[in-house]
Amino acid sequence: MDGFEVRTSNSKKGKGLFATKKFDQGDIILEEDPLISCQFAWNAAYRYLACDHCMKPLETPEQNVRRLSCKPDIVLPHSNCVESNLECITSCDQCAVLYCSEACKQKAFATYHQTICYDTSNAQHPITILLEAWKQMHYPPETTSIMLLVRILAFIQQSPDPVDAASRIKQFCHRTVNEDAELVHKLLGEQFASQIGTLRDLTANVVSGEHAQEFLTPEGFCSLMALIGTNGQGIGTSPLAMWVNAVLELTMSDDERQQLDLFIDKLYQYVEEESGTFLNTEGSGLYQVQSASNHSCAPNAESLFPYGNHRIQLKATKPIMPGDEICISYLDECSLQRSRHSRQKELAQNYLFVCWCEKCSAQATEPDCTSEEDMSDDDDVDADD
């Protein structure tokens, strides 16, 4: 690996990603395809058309914004600044799921799809039944998908070396049984946490080969559910966002720029009125190297998806020296700006750890609540208790 290595961290975080050379702000640290990725179930149900393998959207920016805004007459200027290559779309010969290219189709079939290819119109197929059960337990906004877990099991089953494939997955499993159970409880929510046994039985009806068995015991399934809940990296792709980014790079007069900015603002207003904040094709992926990046409330790197598919890019947001740990934020930008108390609470609830990053250590003596927003959150929690 060029410029970085995965090794044990000096803290209680376990493994971490460390720089072996200097990275300047803006440098690309790594690019990586996931072991497995998957579009969210509700996202697919709401017709966010995407390649079944790499999650590349299967519509042009203009088609995308027309659908999201329900305005079929919208015309995007400079629409040719984004290459869509929709003529390369193909489908599985057996189940007709769509792929952006023949390469994605073959990669999916060779890696996991052969095991779980099924007639999507068959309401009684085990995968259909599993997906419907999952969707009733995990409403939007989604954070993971049961199909990511199914694809992991199929990936192990189809591997030329299933033992090695299983060990690659198990590298992400490092919590106790009780911690896994707590994470799954959080993932499914209070109302559905007791139904993990049902999910396990339905999953066993889909993939039940020899090498999947250790993950289909009560403890193994709980561990795998916790794995996809905490190590699954969110993926978002959007033809509209790619068009906006590309068109803003074009050379034009100040007047043209002003008109374009107003047009883009109006587009997003139309979309928000019709579709709310659900703008992207969304899913989750399991990345072997990038997943080693631990959290910091003062991160020195960020994860991006510059190609409009599931290929991830880790980019330095500040200078990184040899020996420095490369950290990203598990929290969004809004949460990062809040008090240490608020950040710690969110990390403890969602990831089961106490953060002792540089920022949290420096703020350790601050009061528990430092903003009205934080205190109102606590009031809400107290009211629920």
Side-chain angles (χ1 to χ4, degrees):
M1 292 184 288
D2 183 27
F4 56 88
E5 64 181 0
V6 178
R7 58 178 169 85
T8 302
S9 174
N10 293 329
S11 65
K12 297 179 181 179
K13 294 182 287 190
K15 289 183 177 180
L17 190 64
F18 290 83
T20 58
K21 72 175 187 181
K22 180 184 177 183
F23 291 100
D24 293 321
Q25 181 177 346
D27 282 353
I28 306 305
I29 300 168
L30 65 85
E31 288 188 357
E32 181 183 17
D33 288 331
L35 289 175
I36 293 292
S37 68
C38 187
Q39 186 179 1
F40 291 148
W42 279 110
N43 192 265
Y46 283 126
R47 297 187 302 112
Y48 286 78
L49 291 177
C51 175
D52 198 59
H53 179 65
C54 78
M55 286 184 51
K56 179 180 179 180
L58 300 181
E59 57 186 356
T60 66
E62 197 165 83
Q63 291 169 336
N64 182 239
V65 74
R66 286 176 175 181
R67 177 174 59 80
L68 291 173
S69 65
C70 284
K71 293 184 180 297
D73 56 343
I74 285 178
V75 176
L76 295 184
H78 311 290
S79 59
N80 60 350
C81 66
V82 176
E83 289 188 22
S84 297
N85 292 328
L86 299 187
E87 66 274 8
C88 297
I89 293 175
T90 185
S91 61
C92 174
D93 299 334
Q94 280 76 44
C95 69
V97 297
L98 297 175
Y99 297 101
C100 68
S101 65
E102 186 66 26
C104 271
K105 172 183 171 180
Q106 293 182 8
K107 177 74 171 177
F109 194 79
T111 308
Y112 57 86
H113 186 71
Q114 183 178 3
T115 299
I116 55 176
C117 182
Y118 76 107
D119 178 2
T120 55
S121 67
N122 181 2
Q124 298 306 311
H125 191 279
I127 292 181
T128 305
I129 294 171
L130 173 63
L131 272 173
E132 289 307 309
W134 172 258
K135 283 158 62 179
Q136 295 312 309
M137 294 182 197
H138 204 72
Y139 301 117
E142 296 167 273
T143 55
T144 190
S145 171
I146 193 67
M147 285 306 293
L148 182 62
L149 186 151
V150 168
R151 288 187 180 188
I152 287 171
L153 295 177
F155 163 75
I156 294 170
Q157 285 293 109
Q158 278 190 224
S159 172
D161 187 346
V163 174
D164 175 68
S167 69
R168 293 173 72 186
I169 297 301
K170 285 188 285 189
Q171 71 169 333
F172 300 101
C173 304
H174 51 78
R175 294 179 176 84
T176 66
V177 172
N178 287 339
E179 286 176 330
D180 282 342
E182 188 175 340
L183 279 167
V184 172
H185 189 92
K186 176 71 178 176
L187 178 68
L188 293 180
E190 191 75 37
Q191 186 178 0
F192 303 110
S194 62
Q195 299 189 34
I196 187 171
T198 300
L199 281 178
R200 182 171 66 89
D201 291 342
L202 293 176
T203 302
N205 290 338
V206 174
V207 183
S208 57
E210 172 189 355
H211 300 286
Q213 289 308 309
E214 66 175 306
F215 297 104
L216 294 172
T217 65
E219 288 186 1
F221 189 77
C222 189
S223 179
L224 205 52
M225 283 286 290
L227 182 159
I228 65 171
T230 56
N231 289 284
Q233 165 70 46
I235 301 169
T237 61
S238 165
L240 174 57
M242 291 192 72
W243 173 80
V244 169
N245 291 335
V247 82
L248 291 178
E249 294 293 321
L250 297 178
T251 301
M252 59 184 70
S253 69
D254 290 344
D255 184 58
E256 286 177 309
R257 175 71 62 201
Q258 185 177 15
Q259 293 301 315
L260 181 64
D261 288 343
L262 290 172
F263 179 75
I264 291 172
D265 288 343
K266 183 64 72 173
L267 281 184
Y268 277 111
Q269 182 183 329
Y270 291 150
V271 168
E272 186 173 345
E273 288 171 356
E274 186 64 36
S275 301
T277 58
F278 296 100
L279 308 186
N280 301 343
T281 297
E282 294 182 344
S284 184
L286 200 60
Y287 294 84
Q288 190 157 351
V289 179
Q290 184 270 351
S291 68
S293 303
N294 287 312
H295 167 82
S296 171
C297 296
N300 54 16
E302 61 180 342
S303 296
L304 305 168
F305 295 93
Y307 303 108
N309 59 17
H310 66 191
R311 186 168 179 82
I312 202 167
Q313 189 179 82
L314 196 61
K315 185 177 183 179
T317 56
K318 59 182 69 170
I320 301 173
M321 302 303 294
D324 287 353
E325 185 171 4
I326 300 168
C327 293
I328 59 175
S329 173
Y330 296 175
L331 305 176
D332 61 31
E333 192 61 36
C334 181
S335 295
L336 282 180
Q337 302 308 315
R338 301 178 70 182
S339 70
R340 175 181 181 271
H341 170 75
S342 178
R343 299 194 309 270
Q344 293 281 359
K345 184 170 65 174
E346 186 172 343
L347 290 167
Q349 288 177 342
N350 294 327
Y351 299 98
L352 287 185
F353 74 87
V354 175
C355 183
W356 284 105
C357 69
E358 179 183 356
K359 184 175 180 179
C360 285
S361 298
Q363 296 176 345
T365 58
E366 292 183 1
D368 277 350
C369 287
T370 56
S371 71
E372 292 181 9
E373 189 176 11
D374 292 342
M375 287 187 276
S376 67
D377 281 355
D378 287 342
D379 291 341
D380 292 340
V381 172
D382 292 339
D384 292 339
D385 289 344

